[in-house]
Amino acid sequence: VMPLPKPNVSNAQVEVLTEEKFSLGEGPHWEEKTQRLIWIDIFGPSVNIYDPATKENKVYNIREQLEKLGAKGNRVTIGAVVPIVGEPNKLLIATGSHIATFDPTTGEVEFKNEFQDGKDQTCYNDGKCDPSGRFWVGSMGVEVNAMVDDLEAGNLYLVDKGFAAPKHEVGKIAISNGLAWSADKKTLYYIDSIPGAIYVFEYDDITGCISNKKTLFDTTKLDVGFPDGMAIDTLGRLWVAGYFSSAVHCFDPTCPSEPPVSVPIPGARCITSCCFGGKNLDELYVTSARKDDLDGENAGKLFRVTGIDATGTLSQCYAG
C-alpha cells in the first residue's frame, strides 16, 4: 500500500483561545450551523461554547444541577457533548452517571437513562456520533494521578436513536477515548489510552455493529505520550491528541509503520483532544488539561491550530 501523503505542518500556527485554565478540557465538537465550538471541562463540570466570531468562550457549569439530581463523587462529571438534530436548544451530554440533555438557554439538565455497570468507580469519558447519528460513549475507572485504579473497568457503549438504553459493545478498557469513522463508513477507529492502543474494527453503518477488533497502532513504541482524543481528515489520516506529549500527532492508518507527523502545542503538556473546525474545516481545535504548574503555562487552555495542510470531516450530531 502506498502511504498517504504526509501533512506539511512546517507553517502550523498555534493560537491560545482562552485565558482561563480548565482542569480537564475535552470533547471538542464543531457545530457547523452555528460555526461555534462546543466542548467540555470534565471536572468543572461544564459545557463550553466558543464563538470564533466574538472570541468569547461561554462556560455553563452544571455541578449544581448534577448534585440536585443526586450525582455524587466522581459521577459529578461530564464526559461528552454533541448537538441533537432538530433540537437547536438542546445538547446531548454524557454525565458521570447518565445520558442526559442540557439546555444552555435555561441551564436545565434532564437525565435520560442511567449508566449501569454495577461499579461505583467508573464514569463516562469520551463520546461521539457515528455517520448515522447513533451516540457511542466510553467509560473509565477513576483517574488517580493520571492513571486509573482498575485497568479493565472501562467499556464502550452504543446509545441508539431515541435515547435507547446504552448497549455494551467493548469491554475490559482502561480509559475509553478517541473515536473516528472512515469516509466509506466501513471502519471504526478507537483508542484505549493506557495500553496506548489505537484499535480498528469493521463497522456496519446500517446496523451499527462492530467486529474483528485489531490493534492498528501500539503507541507505546512511539514518542507520542498516551493517545487521547482523535479526529479524522478527508484523506483518512488520524489526528491524535498526545497526553504528556505537548503535541497532536497525525497517523496514517493505511501504513502503520510510517512514523506520525507531530504538531507541537507550546506550554501545554497534557493534550486531550482535537477536532476540525472553521468555515473550511481546515483548522484544528485542541483541548488540554491542567493538574499542576508542571503542565505548562498554557495547560488547561483551548487552542486553534492553522496551517496544518489538512481538511477535516464534519462532526456528526445525535439523530435524536
Side-chain angles (χ1 to χ4, degrees), residues 146-209:
M147 294 309 231
V148 285
D149 291 344
D150 180 347
L151 289 182
E152 293 192 335
N155 296 284
L156 180 65
Y157 299 92
L158 168 59
V159 178
D160 215 326
K161 296 161 198 177
F163 295 96
K167 183 168 154 274
H168 187 258
E169 294 289 340
V170 183
K172 301 201 165 172
I173 297 293
I175 299 186
S176 182
N177 251 315
L179 294 153
W181 286 265
S182 61
D184 65 5
K185 306 181 188 180
K186 289 183 176 166
T187 305
L188 165 65
Y189 301 103
Y190 173 53
I191 288 173
D192 185 359
S193 296
I194 298 293
I198 304 178
Y199 297 118
V200 59
F201 293 83
E202 287 172 25
Y203 166 75
D204 182 331
D205 192 52
I206 293 168
T207 61
C209 287

